Amino acid sequence: MMKRLLILEDGTIFEGTAFGADIEVTGEVVFSTGMTGYQESITDQSYNGQILTFTYPLVGNYGINRDDYESIVPTCKGVVVRENARIASNWRNQMSLDEFLQRKNIPGISGIDTRALTRIIRHHGTMKATLVNPGDEIKHIQDQLRATVLPTNQVEQVSTSTAYPSPGTGRNIVVVDFGLKHSILRELSKRECNLTIVPHTITAEEIFDMNPDGVMLTNGPGDPTDVPEALEMIRGIQDKFPIFGICLGHQLFAMANGATTSKMKFGHRGFNHAVREIATGRVDFTSQNHGYAVDADSIDKTDLMVTHIEINDKSVEGVRHKYLPAFSVQFHPDAAPGPHDADYLFDEFMEMIDATKLEKGDF
């Protein structure tokens, strides 16, 4: 079997076995602590430009199926595993992980100590890395890696370029696509919402013309400060329509109201993050995938209030506007993969929409 190297920006080199596409890539290396859900993670556009390491030691054992895509064209840069399962066994299985990555032109590396890699990332923070085949002079590869500037237009890469519908018979929701997961659309469709998915560049005036019952701000990749055009849009609509933000949408909603964000050392990526709702003390285990967070000390000067915190590091996990029908969460209530503890938040969004319509006399 062909060898492949994973070379980190700090000079660390891991040698393993190649699988997936036979190409060389460079990206930000991150890790996910999920024990399952590798298909959903790989196809999650929030991993755009990243080399995704799975901490669970066996990946690929149930193959790839038609139901668990979170996007059609995944844009993560590479996949790192301890062991790539030789046999995929599941009644839904349609192809192996290896075949899937080949079709999607994503390289993988197996047979490396992912625990050691994770410890490096936890200690030093996320960093640039490259997946290459042996042969080139290592110092030259390392020099190239250090000189590489990673792109900052991730949302532009993954957001839809044109609006499209997902018809339903209920509430009219505009979904602003910053790199959405299909599971968000599934949850809204379960509630019979009539959806219009729009590009991240949409303006407040264009949303006014659609006259929705509510607006969803989706997840997406990268640094929220790289999407300044979204802030003006959010400020323009938040006193007109109920808003629900998830992940990147949460960060942008907070920034539009005066809060700030900062890069985390290694982020939250996995499906076992315990989050406490401050008002009730309720604890939910949540699915998360983000490398930036809202700064807690920046909330006090805004019209926002913190509603949820992460139990382990006390980071901000949810905010709500004090005077407007708008709220957001850092985690994924849509899960996929992960626990569905927090899917009630979609029902709260529906209730917020109905209450707003009743107040306006629109029923």
Side-chain angles (χ1 to χ4, degrees), residues 51-125:
I51 298 173
L52 173 56
T53 303
F54 290 99
T55 61
Y56 191 72
L58 180 63
V59 177
N61 53 308
Y62 55 86
I64 300 292
N65 67 80
R66 69 177 187 177
D67 300 322
D68 291 340
Y69 287 93
E70 288 300 317
S71 67
I72 301 301
V73 182
T75 58
C76 68
K77 283 291 187 178
V79 172
V80 181
V81 302
R82 175 67 183 92
E83 180 181 350
N84 174 34
R86 293 180 293 108
I87 298 174
S89 178
N90 184 274
W91 66 274
R92 297 190 303 164
N93 175 42
Q94 293 179 304
M95 70 183 79
S96 69
L97 176 61
D98 181 28
E99 182 182 355
F100 172 72
L101 293 181
Q102 290 182 45
R103 291 188 180 192
K104 299 302 182 181
N105 206 34
I106 299 172
I109 183 172
S110 66
I112 73 166
D113 188 344
T114 50
R115 293 175 301 176
L117 173 58
T118 300
R119 285 196 297 269
I120 291 171
I121 297 171
R122 286 182 62 91
H123 181 71
H124 296 288

Side-chain angles (χ1 to χ4, degrees), residues 274-278 281-284 307-311 314:
V275 170
R276 176 179 288 115
E277 184 178 38
I278 295 173
R282 170 181 175 142
V283 175
D284 294 322
T307 58
H308 297 77
I309 60 168
E310 214 270 5
I311 286 179
K314 310 304 180 186

Side-chain angles (χ1 to χ4, degrees), residues 278-330:
I278 295 173
T280 64
R282 170 181 175 142
V283 175
D284 294 322
F285 284 90
T286 65
S287 174
Q288 301 200 17
N289 177 9
H290 61 103
Y292 291 81
V294 174
D295 298 320
D297 57 4
S298 70
I299 299 292
D300 293 340
K301 302 174 184 178
T302 72
D303 287 331
L304 303 175
M305 58 184 292
V306 177
T307 58
H308 297 77
I309 60 168
E310 214 270 5
I311 286 179
N312 295 303
D313 63 13
K314 310 304 180 186
S315 58
V316 175
E317 289 288 340
V319 297
R320 183 181 294 268
H321 201 285
K322 294 178 180 177
Y323 311 111
L324 301 174
F327 71 102
S328 63
V329 292
Q330 182 62 76

Side-chain angles (χ1 to χ4, degrees), residues 107-344:
I109 183 172
S110 66
I112 73 166
D113 188 344
T114 50
R115 293 175 301 176
L117 173 58
T118 300
R119 285 196 297 269
I120 291 171
I121 297 171
R122 286 182 62 91
H123 181 71
H124 296 288
T126 55
M127 65 185 80
K128 291 182 290 184
T130 186
L131 282 172
V132 298
N133 297 327
D136 291 342
E137 204 271 316
I138 296 296
K139 187 177 185 307
H140 175 65
I141 296 173
Q142 291 173 326
D143 290 342
Q144 282 189 318
L145 175 60
R146 295 188 184 100
T148 298
V149 178
L150 299 179
T152 59
N153 65 335
Q154 292 103 313
V155 171
E156 180 183 340
Q157 293 178 41
V158 299
S159 174
T160 184
S161 58
T162 57
Y164 62 92
S166 179
T169 58
R171 304 168 185 87
N172 292 305
I173 309 295
V174 165
V175 180
V176 185
D177 177 15
F178 297 106
L180 65 81
K181 294 173 64 181
H182 288 177
S183 52
I184 292 176
L185 303 184
R186 292 189 194 102
E187 289 296 330
L188 293 171
S189 294
K190 285 179 188 177
R191 292 157 177 83
E192 300 182 345
C193 294
N194 183 50
L195 309 178
T196 305
I197 297 87
V198 299
H200 74 286
T201 53
I202 193 166
T203 64
E205 290 73 20
E206 290 170 324
I207 292 179
F208 292 156
D209 290 341
M210 297 178 181
N211 193 30
D213 297 320
V215 178
M216 167 68 72
L217 308 174
T218 77
N219 66 293
D223 185 343
T225 61
D226 293 328
V227 199
E229 63 274 16
L231 306 186
E232 183 178 353
M233 177 272 291
I234 294 169
R235 294 188 195 106
I237 66 169
Q238 65 180 7
D239 62 345
K240 304 294 192 302
F241 312 108
I243 293 176
F244 180 16
I246 292 175
C247 199
L248 180 62
H250 156 77
Q251 296 162 13
L252 293 171
F253 172 66
M255 289 175 60
N257 283 280
T260 59
T261 59
S262 56
K263 186 175 176 63
M264 306 173 77
K265 187 174 182 180
F266 49 82
H268 293 162
R269 298 177 179 90
F271 323 124
N272 54 355
H273 291 271
V275 170
R276 176 179 288 115
E277 184 178 38
I278 295 173
T280 64
R282 170 181 175 142
V283 175
D284 294 322
F285 284 90
T286 65
S287 174
Q288 301 200 17
N289 177 9
H290 61 103
Y292 291 81
V294 174
D295 298 320
D297 57 4
S298 70
I299 299 292
D300 293 340
K301 302 174 184 178
T302 72
D303 287 331
L304 303 175
M305 58 184 292
V306 177
T307 58
H308 297 77
I309 60 168
E310 214 270 5
I311 286 179
N312 295 303
D313 63 13
K314 310 304 180 186
S315 58
V316 175
E317 289 288 340
V319 297
R320 183 181 294 268
H321 201 285
K322 294 178 180 177
Y323 311 111
L324 301 174
F327 71 102
S328 63
V329 292
Q330 182 62 76
F331 51 91
H332 285 269
D334 53 290
H340 291 266
D341 294 18
D343 60 3
Y344 67 90

